[in-house]
Amino acid sequence: MSVSASIFILILLAGAGFFFGRQRSLALVSGKLATLHSLPNQYGWYVGILMLLPGILVILLWIVFSGNIIDTMVIASLPDHAGPATEQARALLLNDIHNTAAGAPHSGSSEIYIQEAAQRYSRLKSQGVNIVSALVALFAVIGGLAGFRTIRPDLRARTHVERVILILLILSSVVAIFATLGIVLSLIVESARFFARVPLAEFFFGLQWSPQTALREDQVGSSGSFGAIPLFAGTLLISFIAMCVAVPLGLMSAIYMTQYSRKNVRKVVKPLLEILAGIPTVVYGFFAALTVAPFIRESGGLLGLDVASESALAAGLVMGIMIIPLMSSLSDDALTAVPEAMRDGSLALGATRSETIKQVLIPAALPGIVGAFLLSVSRAVGETMIVVMAAGLAANLTANPLEAVTTITAQIVALLTGDQEFDSAKTLSAFALGLALFGATLLLNMLALSIVRKYRESYE
Amino acid sequence: MEKTPKMQATNVHVYYGDNHAINKVSLDVFAEDVTALIGPSGCGKSTFLRCLNRMNDSIASARVEGKITLDQQDIYDPKIDVVQLRARVGMVFQKPNPFPKSIYDNIAYGPRIHGLARNGEEMDEMVITSLQKAGLWEEVKDRLEAPGTALSGGQQQRLCIARAIAVNPEVILMDEPCSALDPIATAKIEELIEDLRGRFAIVIVTHNMQQAARVSQKTAFFHLGEVIEYGDTADIFTNPEKEKTKDYITGRYG
């Protein structure tokens, strides 16, 4: 008997409960539906839910707490000489027992007491599952009987069922909120650990970024300095280049699409532009690294310029292209939201189309366009794949777009790729960078949304 | 003595795709009169009005046939610049549509795009006169920098009329200018139309027959895209020739 089998049986039982509850409600009024408070199906659901809920609760409790309880029981049953002295020894011991029980190869000693403990572990576990299954079935039967017996024509089954559904809906949104909170909290906690080792001032104002810390005393080339300014500067440089591409192109394409293009042109071009938004950023990344960067390097060479093979320019240009659809479709929305009456009013005064666009439509849509701009910036700042592949990892503090720079996101990838020890300043600095990035994009998004919201109100 | 019409429509047909919206309409608009277009909803009055300054151009499916002249000149002639035409034939819309700019800039918009003022003083002058002509000056003279959208509905509509006047047009088209306003604001707009009569040829579309009787000298009754009857307002309302006109103005249908 496994947990999944008992879930299956529970669902079958609840299904039967649904059927009988429905039959019972119909039988009670001998088919005269109007005398029932709720629909027959709702009586069915009522019985079904009464059977399901306690069972689900028991299974959840089992999943959450069983591991700890069984572990404690197994450790307590160990012979005195084998009892672990420290927390770490206990974890190692448990690991051995789990692995032995699962029949997996393990590093621990195959001493006899471990074998015994493993057997005991398996036995406890299967006993536990059996108890849980029995409980689930018992509760389902009790719930079903209680539900079945309480069905009366005036029982408000619909109210009860809808309350359960409401709670389910609330729980779903709570999950999303707690996931966000959890992520933010973990960022903050890990960053706090980082800032315990590296002072805030060094991180936010230091000009030197080289996160290699010495593992041994005599190691060379590992200064371990954590000044994040070169990363912030690199991020800003690349985002700036990206916005130089995305803003004019996105805005102009939005103007063309909303004001000049004919309906059938728009019908083709707009979806095409949206396909651009669907290209995975990895693809943009190798487009930047393999096509654009060499091209820039060669054309720079023809002009006598020294271009790094991984330049900020290449990454920024490609990132700009990636952001065009976002900028364009948000500006498109902003321009479309300007009432037709504005345009007609201006045209009726004898303004040309371009005068109308420049002097009435864009000013009217400006808050929306600014919102689009800020959302695009936050997209550029948070973009990772393109910069990892095309911008390089050298933390140069430079404003020259032909040199290689690195960004916050690219550094986080570099810091956390591969095997890492999670208590060195090097690894922890990734969390501090993540927190800085999160703070920046959160601010930008909040600003953008508040501008967009303010603008929505102005026409209503 | 026979007066020459300011605008003259001869056998005008308008199609929206396959929909024949206006059928053979001929109508004269005289410079010194207010001409009212009345009729039930969907009868084509607004469509016809929008032909007079070619606002239908921006609707891709609309097609206009026939001849409309302004001072004997065909306005659908390819040589005519639609921008200049609209400077001569202004328009006020059903819902007040001030630009999201200051009151001053709303008025100055037209003169600016047409380069009517040589300097700031002339522009100020133009804004003030337009507001005065539209009867809005006293209400807004202390807050010219306030946004036009902050005014009340009736004030906004008078702002839109002032905006149209500022370009100094010859004809002003009004498409149900009072339908979004309360009776007091409506009365003010009607007074204003009376004041403006003679300085501009005015064509007004209205649902409100009392309004047509009050403000206009000529009335055209539209029905199903055709002009059923056109003549002096007094005649149309007291002694209509056609049975349909009589039925409509006495409220038997519509």
Side-chain angles (χ1 to χ4, degrees), chain B residues 174-232:
Chain B
M174 298 187 178
D175 188 0
E176 296 181 41
C178 302
S179 64
L181 305 181
D182 67 36
I184 295 168
T186 301
K188 282 196 177 152
I189 302 275
E190 286 182 14
E191 273 173 45
L192 174 58
I193 292 172
E194 182 60 28
D195 286 346
L196 298 176
R197 179 163 71 90
R199 278 184 275 188
F200 310 97
I202 295 174
V203 185
I204 179 170
V205 166
T206 177
H207 268 298
N208 180 335
M209 281 173 289
Q210 285 79 17
Q211 185 172 60
R214 280 193 299 264
V215 302
S216 71
Q217 286 69 51
K218 296 273 187 192
T219 297
F221 171 54
F222 276 69
H223 186 61
L224 297 176
E226 294 179 44
V227 172
I228 304 297
E229 194 168 349
Y230 176 53
D232 288 343

Short mmCIF file of all heavy atoms in Angstrom, two decimals, chain B residues 174-232:
data_model
loop_
_atom_site.label_atom_id
_atom_site.label_comp_id
_atom_site.label_asym_id
_atom_site.label_seq_id
_atom_site.Cartn_x
_atom_site.Cartn_y
_atom_site.Cartn_z
N MET B 174 -21.25 71.54 -36.93
CA MET B 174 -21.45 71.10 -35.56
C MET B 174 -22.24 69.80 -35.58
O MET B 174 -23.35 69.75 -36.09
CB MET B 174 -22.21 72.15 -34.76
CG MET B 174 -21.47 73.47 -34.65
SD MET B 174 -22.33 74.58 -33.54
CE MET B 174 -21.22 75.97 -33.56
N ASP B 175 -21.64 68.75 -35.03
CA ASP B 175 -22.26 67.43 -35.05
C ASP B 175 -22.89 67.16 -33.69
O ASP B 175 -22.21 66.74 -32.77
CB ASP B 175 -21.19 66.38 -35.38
CG ASP B 175 -21.80 65.02 -35.61
OD1 ASP B 175 -23.03 64.90 -35.52
OD2 ASP B 175 -21.04 64.07 -35.89
N GLU B 176 -24.18 67.42 -33.57
CA GLU B 176 -24.90 67.27 -32.30
C GLU B 176 -24.11 67.84 -31.13
O GLU B 176 -23.76 67.12 -30.18
CB GLU B 176 -25.19 65.79 -32.03
CG GLU B 176 -26.12 65.18 -33.05
CD GLU B 176 -26.40 63.71 -32.74
OE1 GLU B 176 -26.58 63.42 -31.54
OE2 GLU B 176 -26.44 62.92 -33.66
N PRO B 177 -23.79 69.13 -31.15
CA PRO B 177 -22.86 69.69 -30.15
C PRO B 177 -23.42 69.69 -28.74
O PRO B 177 -22.67 69.86 -27.80
CB PRO B 177 -22.65 71.12 -30.64
CG PRO B 177 -23.89 71.43 -31.40
CD PRO B 177 -24.30 70.16 -32.06
N CYS B 178 -24.74 69.50 -28.60
CA CYS B 178 -25.31 69.60 -27.25
C CYS B 178 -25.78 68.27 -26.70
O CYS B 178 -26.33 68.20 -25.62
CB CYS B 178 -26.50 70.56 -27.26
SG CYS B 178 -26.05 72.19 -27.84
N SER B 179 -25.55 67.18 -27.46
CA SER B 179 -26.16 65.92 -27.03
C SER B 179 -25.54 65.38 -25.76
O SER B 179 -26.13 64.57 -25.08
CB SER B 179 -26.08 64.89 -28.15
OG SER B 179 -24.74 64.60 -28.41
N ALA B 180 -24.30 65.84 -25.41
CA ALA B 180 -23.69 65.35 -24.17
C ALA B 180 -23.79 66.37 -23.05
O ALA B 180 -23.12 66.24 -22.04
CB ALA B 180 -22.23 64.99 -24.43
N LEU B 181 -24.65 67.39 -23.23
CA LEU B 181 -24.68 68.48 -22.25
C LEU B 181 -26.02 68.59 -21.55
O LEU B 181 -27.04 68.14 -22.06
CB LEU B 181 -24.38 69.81 -22.96
CG LEU B 181 -23.09 69.87 -23.76
CD1 LEU B 181 -22.93 71.24 -24.38
CD2 LEU B 181 -21.89 69.54 -22.89
N ASP B 182 -26.02 69.23 -20.38
CA ASP B 182 -27.28 69.43 -19.66
C ASP B 182 -28.01 70.65 -20.24
O ASP B 182 -27.46 71.39 -21.05
CB ASP B 182 -27.01 69.57 -18.15
CG ASP B 182 -26.25 70.83 -17.82
OD1 ASP B 182 -26.48 71.87 -18.48
OD2 ASP B 182 -25.43 70.80 -16.89
N PRO B 183 -29.29 70.86 -19.85
CA PRO B 183 -30.09 71.93 -20.49
C PRO B 183 -29.47 73.32 -20.34
O PRO B 183 -29.56 74.13 -21.28
CB PRO B 183 -31.42 71.85 -19.75
CG PRO B 183 -31.49 70.47 -19.24
CD PRO B 183 -30.10 70.05 -18.95
N ILE B 184 -28.82 73.60 -19.19
CA ILE B 184 -28.27 74.96 -19.01
C ILE B 184 -27.10 75.18 -19.96
O ILE B 184 -27.02 76.21 -20.65
CB ILE B 184 -27.85 75.16 -17.55
CG1 ILE B 184 -29.10 75.11 -16.67
CG2 ILE B 184 -27.13 76.49 -17.37
CD1 ILE B 184 -28.83 75.01 -15.19
N ALA B 185 -26.21 74.19 -20.03
CA ALA B 185 -25.08 74.31 -20.95
C ALA B 185 -25.57 74.36 -22.39
O ALA B 185 -25.02 75.09 -23.22
CB ALA B 185 -24.14 73.13 -20.75
N THR B 186 -26.64 73.60 -22.68
CA THR B 186 -27.22 73.60 -24.02
C THR B 186 -27.71 75.00 -24.38
O THR B 186 -27.45 75.51 -25.47
CB THR B 186 -28.38 72.60 -24.10
OG1 THR B 186 -27.88 71.31 -23.77
CG2 THR B 186 -28.99 72.58 -25.48
N ALA B 187 -28.39 75.64 -23.43
CA ALA B 187 -28.91 76.98 -23.69
C ALA B 187 -27.77 77.94 -24.01
O ALA B 187 -27.88 78.77 -24.92
CB ALA B 187 -29.69 77.47 -22.46
N LYS B 188 -26.64 77.79 -23.28
CA LYS B 188 -25.50 78.67 -23.55
C LYS B 188 -24.94 78.46 -24.95
O LYS B 188 -24.59 79.41 -25.65
CB LYS B 188 -24.40 78.43 -22.51
CG LYS B 188 -24.71 79.09 -21.19
CD LYS B 188 -23.48 79.17 -20.33
CE LYS B 188 -23.80 79.91 -19.04
NZ LYS B 188 -22.95 79.49 -17.94
N ILE B 189 -24.85 77.17 -25.37
CA ILE B 189 -24.34 76.89 -26.70
C ILE B 189 -25.29 77.47 -27.75
O ILE B 189 -24.87 78.04 -28.77
CB ILE B 189 -24.17 75.37 -26.92
CG1 ILE B 189 -23.23 74.76 -25.87
CG2 ILE B 189 -23.70 75.07 -28.33
CD1 ILE B 189 -21.78 74.84 -26.17
N GLU B 190 -26.59 77.35 -27.48
CA GLU B 190 -27.55 77.88 -28.45
C GLU B 190 -27.43 79.40 -28.58
O GLU B 190 -27.46 79.94 -29.68
CB GLU B 190 -28.97 77.48 -28.06
CG GLU B 190 -29.24 76.00 -28.33
CD GLU B 190 -30.67 75.60 -27.98
OE1 GLU B 190 -31.52 76.49 -27.79
OE2 GLU B 190 -30.93 74.39 -27.91
N GLU B 191 -27.24 80.08 -27.43
CA GLU B 191 -27.01 81.53 -27.47
C GLU B 191 -25.77 81.84 -28.30
O GLU B 191 -25.75 82.77 -29.11
CB GLU B 191 -26.76 82.07 -26.05
CG GLU B 191 -27.99 82.45 -25.27
CD GLU B 191 -27.61 82.79 -23.83
OE1 GLU B 191 -26.61 83.52 -23.63
OE2 GLU B 191 -28.29 82.29 -22.91
N LEU B 192 -24.76 81.05 -28.08
CA LEU B 192 -23.49 81.25 -28.78
C LEU B 192 -23.68 81.10 -30.29
O LEU B 192 -23.17 81.90 -31.08
CB LEU B 192 -22.46 80.25 -28.24
CG LEU B 192 -21.12 80.20 -28.93
CD1 LEU B 192 -20.45 81.56 -28.89
CD2 LEU B 192 -20.23 79.17 -28.25
N ILE B 193 -24.46 80.07 -30.68
CA ILE B 193 -24.70 79.86 -32.11
C ILE B 193 -25.40 81.09 -32.69
O ILE B 193 -25.06 81.57 -33.78
CB ILE B 193 -25.54 78.58 -32.32
CG1 ILE B 193 -24.70 77.34 -31.94
CG2 ILE B 193 -26.00 78.47 -33.77
CD1 ILE B 193 -25.47 76.05 -31.94
N GLU B 194 -26.35 81.61 -31.92
CA GLU B 194 -27.05 82.82 -32.36
C GLU B 194 -26.06 83.98 -32.55
O GLU B 194 -26.12 84.71 -33.54
CB GLU B 194 -28.13 83.17 -31.31
CG GLU B 194 -28.98 84.37 -31.63
CD GLU B 194 -29.76 84.23 -32.93
OE1 GLU B 194 -30.07 83.08 -33.30
OE2 GLU B 194 -30.04 85.26 -33.58
N ASP B 195 -25.11 84.12 -31.58
CA ASP B 195 -24.10 85.19 -31.69
C ASP B 195 -23.22 85.01 -32.92
O ASP B 195 -22.79 85.98 -33.54
CB ASP B 195 -23.18 85.18 -30.46
CG ASP B 195 -23.88 85.74 -29.23
OD1 ASP B 195 -24.95 86.36 -29.41
OD2 ASP B 195 -23.35 85.53 -28.12
N LEU B 196 -22.89 83.77 -33.20
CA LEU B 196 -21.92 83.50 -34.29
C LEU B 196 -22.57 83.58 -35.67
O LEU B 196 -21.89 83.68 -36.68
CB LEU B 196 -21.30 82.11 -34.12
CG LEU B 196 -20.48 81.88 -32.84
CD1 LEU B 196 -20.01 80.45 -32.77
CD2 LEU B 196 -19.29 82.83 -32.79
N ARG B 197 -23.88 83.51 -35.69
CA ARG B 197 -24.58 83.52 -36.97
C ARG B 197 -24.26 84.81 -37.72
O ARG B 197 -24.22 85.88 -37.14
CB ARG B 197 -26.09 83.43 -36.75
CG ARG B 197 -26.92 83.44 -38.01
CD ARG B 197 -28.30 82.94 -37.70
NE ARG B 197 -29.06 83.92 -36.90
CZ ARG B 197 -29.82 84.88 -37.44
NH1 ARG B 197 -29.91 85.01 -38.75
NH2 ARG B 197 -30.49 85.72 -36.67
N GLY B 198 -24.01 84.66 -39.01
CA GLY B 198 -23.65 85.83 -39.81
C GLY B 198 -22.16 85.94 -39.99
O GLY B 198 -21.68 86.27 -41.06
N ARG B 199 -21.38 85.61 -38.92
CA ARG B 199 -19.93 85.67 -39.06
C ARG B 199 -19.39 84.40 -39.72
O ARG B 199 -18.39 84.42 -40.42
CB ARG B 199 -19.27 85.85 -37.69
CG ARG B 199 -19.26 87.29 -37.25
CD ARG B 199 -18.53 87.46 -35.96
NE ARG B 199 -19.43 87.19 -34.84
CZ ARG B 199 -19.09 87.42 -33.57
NH1 ARG B 199 -17.88 87.84 -33.28
NH2 ARG B 199 -19.95 87.18 -32.61
N PHE B 200 -20.06 83.29 -39.42
CA PHE B 200 -19.66 82.01 -40.03
C PHE B 200 -20.93 81.35 -40.57
O PHE B 200 -21.99 81.50 -39.99
CB PHE B 200 -19.05 81.06 -38.99
CG PHE B 200 -17.97 81.69 -38.16
CD1 PHE B 200 -18.24 82.22 -36.91
CD2 PHE B 200 -16.66 81.73 -38.64
CE1 PHE B 200 -17.25 82.79 -36.14
CE2 PHE B 200 -15.66 82.29 -37.87
CZ PHE B 200 -15.94 82.84 -36.62
N ALA B 201 -20.77 80.63 -41.67
CA ALA B 201 -21.87 79.77 -42.07
C ALA B 201 -21.85 78.58 -41.11
O ALA B 201 -20.80 78.01 -40.85
CB ALA B 201 -21.67 79.28 -43.50
N ILE B 202 -23.01 78.24 -40.53
CA ILE B 202 -23.03 77.16 -39.54
C ILE B 202 -23.96 76.06 -40.02
O ILE B 202 -25.08 76.32 -40.48
CB ILE B 202 -23.50 77.70 -38.17
CG1 ILE B 202 -22.47 78.70 -37.63
CG2 ILE B 202 -23.69 76.56 -37.18
CD1 ILE B 202 -22.87 79.39 -36.36
N VAL B 203 -23.46 74.83 -39.95
CA VAL B 203 -24.31 73.68 -40.24
C VAL B 203 -24.34 72.84 -38.97
O VAL B 203 -23.30 72.46 -38.44
CB VAL B 203 -23.74 72.82 -41.40
CG1 VAL B 203 -24.72 71.70 -41.74
CG2 VAL B 203 -23.47 73.69 -42.60
N ILE B 204 -25.55 72.59 -38.47
CA ILE B 204 -25.64 71.86 -37.20
C ILE B 204 -26.53 70.63 -37.37
O ILE B 204 -27.60 70.71 -37.95
CB ILE B 204 -26.17 72.80 -36.07
CG1 ILE B 204 -26.31 72.03 -34.77
CG2 ILE B 204 -27.48 73.48 -36.45
CD1 ILE B 204 -26.59 72.93 -33.57
N VAL B 205 -25.98 69.50 -36.89
CA VAL B 205 -26.78 68.27 -36.85
C VAL B 205 -27.39 68.19 -35.48
O VAL B 205 -26.72 68.41 -34.48
CB VAL B 205 -25.88 67.04 -37.09
CG1 VAL B 205 -26.61 65.77 -36.71
CG2 VAL B 205 -25.42 66.99 -38.53
N THR B 206 -28.68 67.93 -35.40
CA THR B 206 -29.29 67.81 -34.08
C THR B 206 -30.42 66.79 -34.07
O THR B 206 -31.09 66.56 -35.08
CB THR B 206 -29.79 69.17 -33.56
OG1 THR B 206 -30.44 68.98 -32.32
CG2 THR B 206 -30.74 69.82 -34.54
N HIS B 207 -30.59 66.17 -32.91
CA HIS B 207 -31.70 65.25 -32.69
C HIS B 207 -32.90 65.98 -32.14
O HIS B 207 -33.99 65.47 -32.10
CB HIS B 207 -31.29 64.20 -31.64
CG HIS B 207 -30.71 62.99 -32.23
ND1 HIS B 207 -31.42 62.19 -33.07
CD2 HIS B 207 -29.49 62.43 -32.13
CE1 HIS B 207 -30.67 61.19 -33.45
NE2 HIS B 207 -29.48 61.31 -32.90
N ASN B 208 -32.59 67.19 -31.61
CA ASN B 208 -33.57 67.92 -30.84
C ASN B 208 -34.29 68.89 -31.76
O ASN B 208 -33.72 69.87 -32.23
CB ASN B 208 -32.79 68.65 -29.73
CG ASN B 208 -33.69 69.44 -28.83
OD1 ASN B 208 -34.77 69.84 -29.23
ND2 ASN B 208 -33.23 69.66 -27.62
N MET B 209 -35.56 68.61 -32.04
CA MET B 209 -36.27 69.43 -33.04
C MET B 209 -36.53 70.84 -32.55
O MET B 209 -36.50 71.77 -33.32
CB MET B 209 -37.56 68.74 -33.44
CG MET B 209 -37.26 67.64 -34.44
SD MET B 209 -38.70 66.69 -34.77
CE MET B 209 -38.92 65.82 -33.28
N GLN B 210 -36.76 70.97 -31.22
CA GLN B 210 -36.94 72.32 -30.69
C GLN B 210 -35.67 73.14 -30.92
O GLN B 210 -35.72 74.31 -31.26
CB GLN B 210 -37.24 72.29 -29.18
CG GLN B 210 -38.65 71.87 -28.83
CD GLN B 210 -38.80 70.35 -28.91
OE1 GLN B 210 -37.82 69.63 -28.92
NE2 GLN B 210 -40.03 69.89 -29.02
N GLN B 211 -34.52 72.45 -30.73
CA GLN B 211 -33.26 73.15 -30.95
C GLN B 211 -33.14 73.62 -32.39
O GLN B 211 -32.79 74.77 -32.65
CB GLN B 211 -32.10 72.23 -30.60
CG GLN B 211 -30.76 72.92 -30.68
CD GLN B 211 -29.66 72.02 -30.15
OE1 GLN B 211 -29.44 70.94 -30.68
NE2 GLN B 211 -28.99 72.48 -29.12
N ALA B 212 -33.47 72.73 -33.33
CA ALA B 212 -33.41 73.10 -34.74
C ALA B 212 -34.31 74.31 -34.99
O ALA B 212 -33.93 75.26 -35.66
CB ALA B 212 -33.82 71.92 -35.61
N ALA B 213 -35.53 74.27 -34.42
CA ALA B 213 -36.47 75.37 -34.63
C ALA B 213 -35.94 76.66 -34.02
O ALA B 213 -36.11 77.74 -34.60
CB ALA B 213 -37.81 75.01 -33.99
N ARG B 214 -35.26 76.53 -32.84
CA ARG B 214 -34.77 77.74 -32.18
C ARG B 214 -33.59 78.38 -32.90
O ARG B 214 -33.52 79.57 -33.05
CB ARG B 214 -34.34 77.41 -30.74
CG ARG B 214 -35.50 77.31 -29.76
CD ARG B 214 -34.97 77.30 -28.33
NE ARG B 214 -34.11 76.17 -28.06
CZ ARG B 214 -34.51 75.03 -27.51
NH1 ARG B 214 -35.78 74.86 -27.17
NH2 ARG B 214 -33.66 74.05 -27.30
N VAL B 215 -32.61 77.56 -33.31
CA VAL B 215 -31.34 78.16 -33.75
C VAL B 215 -31.22 78.34 -35.26
O VAL B 215 -30.37 79.09 -35.71
CB VAL B 215 -30.12 77.36 -33.25
CG1 VAL B 215 -30.11 77.26 -31.74
CG2 VAL B 215 -30.04 75.99 -33.91
N SER B 216 -32.02 77.64 -36.07
CA SER B 216 -31.69 77.62 -37.49
C SER B 216 -32.64 78.46 -38.34
O SER B 216 -33.76 78.75 -37.93
CB SER B 216 -31.70 76.18 -37.99
OG SER B 216 -33.03 75.71 -38.05
N GLN B 217 -32.15 78.82 -39.51
CA GLN B 217 -32.99 79.50 -40.49
C GLN B 217 -33.41 78.54 -41.59
O GLN B 217 -34.46 78.67 -42.19
CB GLN B 217 -32.24 80.69 -41.12
CG GLN B 217 -32.11 81.88 -40.18
CD GLN B 217 -31.18 81.59 -39.03
OE1 GLN B 217 -30.06 81.14 -39.25
NE2 GLN B 217 -31.63 81.83 -37.81
N LYS B 218 -32.53 77.56 -41.87
CA LYS B 218 -32.84 76.54 -42.88
C LYS B 218 -32.84 75.19 -42.19
O LYS B 218 -32.02 74.95 -41.29
CB LYS B 218 -31.77 76.53 -43.98
CG LYS B 218 -31.69 77.80 -44.79
CD LYS B 218 -32.67 77.73 -45.93
CE LYS B 218 -32.46 78.94 -46.85
NZ LYS B 218 -33.58 79.06 -47.80
N THR B 219 -33.71 74.31 -42.59
CA THR B 219 -33.72 72.96 -42.02
C THR B 219 -33.83 71.94 -43.14
O THR B 219 -34.59 72.13 -44.10
CB THR B 219 -34.90 72.79 -41.05
OG1 THR B 219 -34.74 73.68 -39.96
CG2 THR B 219 -34.95 71.37 -40.51
N ALA B 220 -33.04 70.87 -43.02
CA ALA B 220 -33.14 69.75 -43.94
C ALA B 220 -33.55 68.53 -43.14
O ALA B 220 -32.97 68.25 -42.10
CB ALA B 220 -31.82 69.50 -44.65
N PHE B 221 -34.59 67.83 -43.60
CA PHE B 221 -35.02 66.62 -42.93
C PHE B 221 -34.48 65.40 -43.68
O PHE B 221 -34.78 65.19 -44.85
CB PHE B 221 -36.55 66.59 -42.84
CG PHE B 221 -37.09 65.29 -42.34
CD1 PHE B 221 -36.65 64.76 -41.12
CD2 PHE B 221 -38.02 64.57 -43.08
CE1 PHE B 221 -37.13 63.55 -40.66
CE2 PHE B 221 -38.51 63.36 -42.62
CZ PHE B 221 -38.06 62.85 -41.40
N PHE B 222 -33.65 64.65 -43.01
CA PHE B 222 -33.05 63.46 -43.59
C PHE B 222 -33.84 62.23 -43.16
O PHE B 222 -34.25 62.13 -42.01
CB PHE B 222 -31.60 63.27 -43.09
CG PHE B 222 -30.58 64.06 -43.85
CD1 PHE B 222 -30.55 65.44 -43.75
CD2 PHE B 222 -29.64 63.42 -44.64
CE1 PHE B 222 -29.58 66.16 -44.43
CE2 PHE B 222 -28.68 64.14 -45.32
CZ PHE B 222 -28.65 65.52 -45.22
N HIS B 223 -33.98 61.30 -44.09
CA HIS B 223 -34.56 60.02 -43.71
C HIS B 223 -33.98 58.93 -44.60
O HIS B 223 -34.02 59.04 -45.82
CB HIS B 223 -36.08 60.07 -43.86
CG HIS B 223 -36.76 58.83 -43.34
ND1 HIS B 223 -36.66 58.44 -42.02
CD2 HIS B 223 -37.53 57.90 -43.97
CE1 HIS B 223 -37.34 57.31 -41.86
NE2 HIS B 223 -37.87 56.96 -43.03
N LEU B 224 -33.40 57.91 -43.98
CA LEU B 224 -32.81 56.77 -44.70
C LEU B 224 -31.86 57.23 -45.80
O LEU B 224 -31.89 56.74 -46.91
CB LEU B 224 -33.91 55.90 -45.30
CG LEU B 224 -34.83 55.22 -44.27
CD1 LEU B 224 -35.94 54.46 -44.98
CD2 LEU B 224 -34.04 54.30 -43.37
N GLY B 225 -31.02 58.20 -45.47
CA GLY B 225 -29.98 58.62 -46.40
C GLY B 225 -30.45 59.58 -47.48
O GLY B 225 -29.67 59.93 -48.35
N GLU B 226 -31.71 59.99 -47.40
CA GLU B 226 -32.17 60.94 -48.42
C GLU B 226 -32.67 62.20 -47.73
O GLU B 226 -33.13 62.16 -46.60
CB GLU B 226 -33.33 60.33 -49.22
CG GLU B 226 -32.91 59.14 -50.06
CD GLU B 226 -34.11 58.57 -50.82
OE1 GLU B 226 -34.89 59.37 -51.37
OE2 GLU B 226 -34.25 57.35 -50.82
N VAL B 227 -32.61 63.33 -48.47
CA VAL B 227 -33.23 64.54 -47.94
C VAL B 227 -34.69 64.51 -48.36
O VAL B 227 -35.00 64.50 -49.55
CB VAL B 227 -32.53 65.80 -48.49
CG1 VAL B 227 -33.31 67.04 -48.07
CG2 VAL B 227 -31.12 65.87 -47.96
N ILE B 228 -35.58 64.42 -47.36
CA ILE B 228 -37.01 64.37 -47.68
C ILE B 228 -37.50 65.78 -48.01
O ILE B 228 -38.22 66.00 -48.97
CB ILE B 228 -37.81 63.80 -46.49
CG1 ILE B 228 -37.28 62.41 -46.13
CG2 ILE B 228 -39.30 63.76 -46.80
CD1 ILE B 228 -37.42 61.37 -47.21
N GLU B 229 -37.05 66.72 -47.18
CA GLU B 229 -37.54 68.08 -47.38
C GLU B 229 -36.48 69.07 -46.92
O GLU B 229 -35.81 68.85 -45.92
CB GLU B 229 -38.83 68.29 -46.58
CG GLU B 229 -39.58 69.53 -47.00
CD GLU B 229 -40.99 69.56 -46.41
OE1 GLU B 229 -41.43 68.53 -45.87
OE2 GLU B 229 -41.63 70.62 -46.50
N TYR B 230 -36.31 70.15 -47.66
CA TYR B 230 -35.33 71.17 -47.28
C TYR B 230 -35.93 72.53 -47.55
O TYR B 230 -36.48 72.77 -48.62
CB TYR B 230 -34.05 70.98 -48.10
CG TYR B 230 -33.01 72.05 -47.85
CD1 TYR B 230 -32.59 72.33 -46.55
CD2 TYR B 230 -32.46 72.77 -48.89
CE1 TYR B 230 -31.64 73.31 -46.32
CE2 TYR B 230 -31.50 73.74 -48.68
CZ TYR B 230 -31.09 74.01 -47.38
OH TYR B 230 -30.16 74.98 -47.14
N GLY B 231 -35.85 73.41 -46.57
CA GLY B 231 -36.41 74.74 -46.79
C GLY B 231 -36.21 75.63 -45.59
O GLY B 231 -35.44 75.29 -44.68
N ASP B 232 -36.93 76.73 -45.55
CA ASP B 232 -36.84 77.64 -44.41
C ASP B 232 -37.38 76.92 -43.18
O ASP B 232 -38.38 76.22 -43.23
CB ASP B 232 -37.67 78.90 -44.66
CG ASP B 232 -37.00 79.79 -45.71
OD1 ASP B 232 -35.80 79.56 -45.96
OD2 ASP B 232 -37.68 80.65 -46.28
#
